[in-house]
Amino acid sequence: MTKDSFFEKKWLIKSENRILGPFHFEQIEELLKKRQISLIDEVRDMDTRWLYIRENINFKAIVEEFRKEIESKSESTKTYQTLAKTNTNTASDASVNKTNAFIPQFTEVESVEISVLQNEVISNLSSEEIESTKIKEKAKIYGLPRDQFFQKKVASTGKRNFFIALAMMLALAAGAGTFVWYQKRAIRLQEEDWMAQIKKYQFLGFHQKAVTLFSKLPERNQKKVLPQVLPLFPILESEHLAQLKDIEFIQDSSDLSIEQKTNIQLIYFLTAMQNQNYTAASDAVVKARSLQPASELVIENSAILDLKKGNFQASFDSFQVLFNNDKNGRYLMGSLQAFAGLSQNSKEQYQPNLINQIEKYTSTYYDYKKELLLGQMALARLTKNEILFKVSWNQFLNTPVQLSNLFRKPILVYGSTYRWKELEEYKITVRGALTPEEITLFEIHNYLEDGQVSAANQYADNNLAKVKDRAVRQQMILLILNSQARRNEIIALEKTNQLDMRNELNHIVLALNKIELEPTANISENLDFLKEHQLVFCSNWISLMQIMKARQTERIRPFLREHMVTVSQFLPVIEARSMIE
C-alpha cells in the first residue's frame, strides 16, 4: 500500500459500545490528542477485524508518540506538585513573620482573623473591644459587609456563572450527542447503501461482488439482508458467512415471499443431496413444488433427483419440458443422461427427436457443446448415420476443452449433475467407431475435459508415437501445454511451423494465450481465420477477452450490445459487465 492510499484509507472506531467513523488516519490522530478516543478503543478498516489501537501495527508510530507525551506530562506534573508544596510552606512562614512584625489598622473591611494578633496587643484592649473583635472574627467576610448592593451583586454573579456553566455543559452534551448521531447516521446510511448494492449485484449476476460486500456488513445487517440473497447461500456457506441454522432461523418469518420460501426449500434440498439423503431431498423438493409448481429451478432439481434415484422416464420427460420452454444446453445434457437409462423401446421412440434437438442446438450454441457432440456421435453410431458421426467428430475435435465451465448455471441447482464423467456409456460407444490413432486423440480430449491434466500428460508420453500425423501430435502437445498454462512454450510451439494452421482449435488456443501474455498482441490473423470459417462466437469471445485484458472499458458496453447479446450466462460476458457497472 502506498503512503497516499494509506492516509486516504477509511477507519471505523469502536469506543464505549459506539461505532464512530469512517475517519482518515489524521482524524484518528487528532481524536487521540484531544482525548476523545483512547488507546484501548478498537479500530478496523473495511477489510480487517477489530483491534485495539495500541495493538494495530498501522498506528504503531502515533501510539509510541502518544505514550511519550503522557510520560512527559506525568513528570511535569510531579515537578509542579513539588514546587507548589515548597511555595506554600514558604508563603506560610512569611505570613507569620509579617504578622509578628506589623499589625494593620482596619476600618470598614475585615480581612485578617483576630487569632493572628500578638498577645501583648490583646492585653491592651478592653473586654468589650475584645468581644466585639471576636464577633467580627466569626463573621469573617471579604469585601464590604454592610454594603447590601455588593451582597446582591455577588449572589447574582454566582447564579449567572452557574447558569452559564450549565448552558455550556448542555451545549457540549448536545454537541457530543449530535456528533454521535451523525456518526451513527453515516454508518447506517453506508450500510443501507451496501445492502442496496448487494441486491443490485445479485440481480446483475455479479455473485462474487455481492458476496464480498455482504462480508463487510455487520452481523445484524447480514441476517437482515439474508432473505434477499438466498440464491447465493451455497457461496455464503462455503465462505463461512452463513450457516444452515441461519436459514432455520428465518424460515418462519411472516414477511417472506413465496419465492424466498421456495429458495429455502431448495437449500434444504441441496443439503440433503450432498448427504445423499434422497428421502429428505424428496420432501424438500415436494414442498418447493407446492409453493411454485411452474418454477424451472424447482422442476430442474426434481428432474435431477429422479435421475439420481433411477426414475429415468420421469427425469427425461422433465428435462424435455424444460428444453422446450427454454433452449438451454444443460437441459439437453440432462436429457442425454436420462436417455441412457431408458428401456430399448423408449430409446427407439425418443432417439430421432433427441438427435434433431442436439444437431440444431450445437450448430448455434456452445454451452455443453462438447458433451452434446459426444452424445450425438454415440447416437449417430447407433443409428448407423456415418455422415453425422464424421461431422460431429470434426466439431468435437475443434471445440475447446472444458468450455462448459465458462457457462454459469443457477447456484441453487444441484451441481454434481452435468459433468463429463456422467457420459461413460456414450464414450464406450464412440470408442468403438474410432481408429487407434483417433482413440489416442480422443483420450487426450477425454482426460483434459475431465480435468485430469497429469493423466493426459502421462498418456501422451506413452502413446504419442502411435500418432503418425505430425500436426495431430503437435496439437495434442498444444492442448496439454494450454491446460498447464505454459504460455511461452505455446508461443514457441507456434514458431516451429509444425502446427496445422488450418485447424480452428489451434487458432482459438493460440489467440487466447497471446493476449494472456500481452493484451495488445496482434491476433488479427487468428480472428480473420475464425470469421472466415463462420466461428462468430469464438471470434467475439477472443475479441472481448482482449478488450478486458487491455482494460479498454469504454469499448465494453458497445461491444456487448453488438456482439454478445444471446450469451448472458457466459462468464467472460458477466466479468466484462462487472467492469463497467
Side-chain angles (χ1 to χ4, degrees):
M1 182 184 295
T2 65
K3 184 176 181 181
D4 289 340
S5 63
F6 175 81
F7 284 106
E8 290 175 0
K9 195 171 187 178
K10 297 296 182 68
W11 304 84
L12 295 178
I13 299 293
K14 186 189 289 183
S15 176
E16 298 178 354
N17 296 323
R18 299 174 302 162
I19 297 179
L20 310 176
F23 298 115
H24 291 294
F25 181 85
E26 295 90 341
Q27 291 174 308
I28 295 178
E29 182 178 10
E30 187 66 18
L31 290 172
L32 278 169
K33 290 179 178 179
K34 291 181 176 180
R35 303 293 193 277
Q36 293 181 5
I37 61 174
S38 70
L39 297 181
I40 61 172
D41 288 335
E42 295 176 89
V43 65
R44 63 166 288 185
D45 61 16
M46 299 306 173
D47 301 312
T48 61
R49 61 187 180 85
W50 289 108
L51 283 174
Y52 292 120
I53 294 176
R54 67 187 183 191
E55 294 176 357
N56 194 309
I57 193 171
N58 292 296
F59 296 87
K60 182 178 180 181
I62 186 174
V63 168
E64 291 300 325
E65 178 183 347
F66 192 73
R67 283 176 173 164
K68 289 178 182 179
E69 181 181 345
I70 292 174
E71 291 172 1
S72 174
K73 289 184 177 180
S74 178
E75 291 299 324
S76 299
T77 303
K78 290 178 182 178
T79 303
Y80 174 82
Q81 290 174 345
T82 303
L83 291 173
K85 185 175 182 181
T86 303
N87 292 338
T88 302
N89 293 336
T90 304
S92 177
D93 294 341
S95 175
V96 171
N97 293 335
K98 183 176 179 182
T99 305
N100 291 335
F102 174 72
I103 300 176
Q105 301 298 314
F106 298 97
T107 55
E108 297 270 323
V109 180
E110 294 293 336
S111 60
V112 181
E113 295 180 3
I114 192 168
S115 61
V116 302
L117 300 174
Q118 296 298 324
N119 291 331
E120 60 272 18
V121 176
I122 295 174
S123 62
N124 295 327
L125 297 174
S126 65
S127 60
E128 291 82 0
E129 289 173 329
I130 291 173
E131 187 62 30
S132 176
T133 304
K134 288 181 178 179
I135 292 172
K136 290 182 179 178
E137 177 192 24
K138 291 179 181 178
K140 191 188 176 187
I141 60 172
Y142 299 91
L144 301 175
R146 289 182 291 274
D147 191 340
Q148 294 182 0
F149 175 78
F150 179 81
Q151 293 288 344
K152 289 182 180 179
K153 188 168 184 180
V154 168
S156 175
T157 302
K159 289 181 180 179
R160 185 183 63 185
N161 291 340
F162 170 77
F163 285 114
I164 290 174
L166 181 62
M168 290 178 65
M169 291 175 63
L170 292 174
L172 287 172
T178 302
F179 175 78
V180 171
W181 184 85
Y182 273 107
Q183 293 300 319
K184 289 183 177 180
R185 181 175 180 272
I187 293 172
R188 187 181 71 254
L189 290 175
Q190 184 181 56
E191 291 170 354
E192 289 175 354
D193 180 62
W194 283 353
M195 288 190 285
Q197 283 289 100
I198 289 169
K199 295 174 187 176
K200 175 185 175 183
Y201 288 152
Q202 181 191 343
F203 175 76
L204 294 174
F206 307 153
H207 294 166
Q208 196 53 53
K209 275 190 171 184
V211 170
T212 299
L213 203 53
F214 183 90
S215 67
K216 296 180 179 181
L217 287 174
E219 186 176 350
R220 67 181 187 282
N221 285 345
Q222 287 181 351
K223 294 184 182 301
K224 184 177 179 180
V225 80
L226 182 59
Q228 309 298 324
V229 294
L230 287 172
L232 301 179
F233 179 79
I235 301 178
L236 297 175
E237 185 180 36
S238 67
E239 298 193 13
H240 308 291
L241 295 172
Q243 302 178 46
L244 199 61
K245 65 180 183 181
D246 298 321
I247 300 300
E248 295 169 352
F249 179 78
I250 68 171
Q251 69 175 350
D252 296 325
S253 177
S254 59
D255 57 351
L256 291 176
S257 67
I258 296 297
E259 183 177 2
Q260 289 169 341
K261 291 179 181 178
T262 303
N263 287 337
I264 287 176
Q265 294 304 321
L266 291 180
I267 290 170
Y268 289 144
F269 167 79
L270 295 182
T271 303
M273 290 293 286
Q274 289 167 0
N275 297 326
Q276 296 185 342
N277 186 344
Y278 294 149
T279 301
S282 295
D283 291 341
V285 83
V286 166
K287 290 178 181 177
R289 203 154 191 171
S290 67
L291 290 167
Q292 284 190 300
S295 168
E296 292 184 352
L297 200 58
V298 175
I299 296 172
E300 183 176 3
N301 278 313
S302 180
I304 291 171
L305 179 60
D306 284 331
L307 184 62
K308 296 297 181 183
K309 292 170 64 176
N311 300 328
F312 298 113
Q313 185 65 60
S315 179
F316 182 83
D317 291 343
S318 295
F319 279 121
Q320 284 291 293
V321 169
L322 289 168
F323 183 75
N324 289 331
N325 291 335
D326 179 19
K327 298 297 183 287
N328 195 304
R330 71 176 188 273
Y331 297 151
L332 275 182
M333 172 72 168
S335 297
L336 266 178
Q337 290 177 254
F339 180 85
L342 295 177
S343 66
Q344 188 60 37
N345 288 337
S346 296
K347 285 182 178 179
E348 292 175 359
Q349 176 184 352
Y350 299 123
Q351 189 169 268
N353 184 54
L354 185 58
I355 291 174
N356 184 52
Q357 287 175 333
I358 294 174
E359 188 176 6
K360 286 183 177 180
Y361 193 83
T362 54
S363 65
T364 306
Y365 301 102
Y366 279 78
D367 55 316
Y368 295 93
K369 183 170 184 174
K370 202 143 194 165
E371 292 85 347
L372 295 176
L373 288 171
L374 174 67
Q376 185 167 272
M377 285 190 288
L379 295 176
R381 184 168 188 252
L382 292 174
T383 57
K384 297 181 173 53
N385 189 336
E386 295 184 5
I387 295 177
L388 179 61
F389 184 92
K390 289 181 180 180
V391 171
S392 302
W393 171 247
N394 184 61
Q395 288 182 305
F396 178 88
L397 295 178
N398 280 289
T399 302
V401 297
Q402 294 195 339
L403 182 60
S404 60
N405 291 347
L406 294 180
F407 288 87
R408 189 169 68 190
K409 60 179 180 295
I411 299 174
L412 292 184
V413 167
Y414 183 59
S416 302
T417 303
Y418 309 110
R419 298 182 301 181
W420 177 258
K421 63 174 59 178
E422 305 293 335
L423 301 174
E424 289 301 323
E425 182 174 330
Y426 294 100
K427 296 176 192 176
I428 294 171
T429 303
V430 169
R431 288 189 187 100
L434 299 176
T435 65
E437 186 171 299
E438 289 173 336
I439 289 178
T440 302
L441 184 56
F442 174 80
E443 293 303 336
I444 295 293
H445 281 262
N446 180 36
Y447 281 123
L448 294 178
E449 192 68 43
D450 203 29
Q452 301 183 54
V453 180
S454 297
N457 195 23
Q458 185 64 44
Y459 182 85
D461 289 341
N462 297 334
N463 295 277
L464 210 58
K466 297 179 183 179
V467 180
K468 305 298 183 183
D469 191 328
R470 184 176 63 181
V472 174
R473 290 200 304 270
Q474 293 299 306
Q475 186 182 57
M476 291 167 63
I477 295 172
L478 174 68
L479 292 175
I480 293 172
L481 291 176
N482 182 59
S483 296
Q484 296 171 333
R486 293 158 64 178
R487 309 193 193 286
N488 288 314
E489 294 177 58
I490 289 174
I491 303 304
L493 185 63
E494 180 190 25
K495 295 178 181 178
T496 64
N497 295 322
Q498 295 182 15
L499 286 171
D500 183 5
M501 298 313 293
R502 296 169 299 174
N503 184 281
E504 299 164 1
L505 182 58
N506 289 348
H507 280 279
I508 295 171
V509 173
L510 287 171
L512 289 172
N513 279 278
K514 285 177 183 177
I515 60 181
E516 285 290 342
L517 285 173
E518 175 52 55
T520 59
N522 183 6
I523 56 172
S524 57
E525 180 182 350
N526 308 114
L527 292 176
D528 290 343
F529 178 89
L530 295 174
K531 291 175 182 177
E532 182 181 345
H533 287 76
Q534 305 300 313
L535 298 176
V536 178
F537 170 79
C538 293
S539 173
N540 290 338
W541 168 26
I542 293 168
S543 297
L544 179 61
M545 293 300 295
Q546 185 168 44
I547 292 171
M548 291 164 57
K549 294 294 180 182
R551 312 297 296 183
Q552 297 173 343
T553 54
E554 72 283 355
R555 295 182 56 195
I556 291 177
R557 196 182 302 278
F559 185 88
L560 293 178
R561 187 170 55 247
E562 295 172 13
H563 300 286
M564 307 292 280
V565 178
T566 61
V567 284
S568 59
Q569 295 306 310
F570 189 48
L571 290 182
V573 170
I574 295 172
E575 182 182 354
R577 285 167 49 216
S578 72
M579 294 173 65
I580 57 176
E581 293 291 347

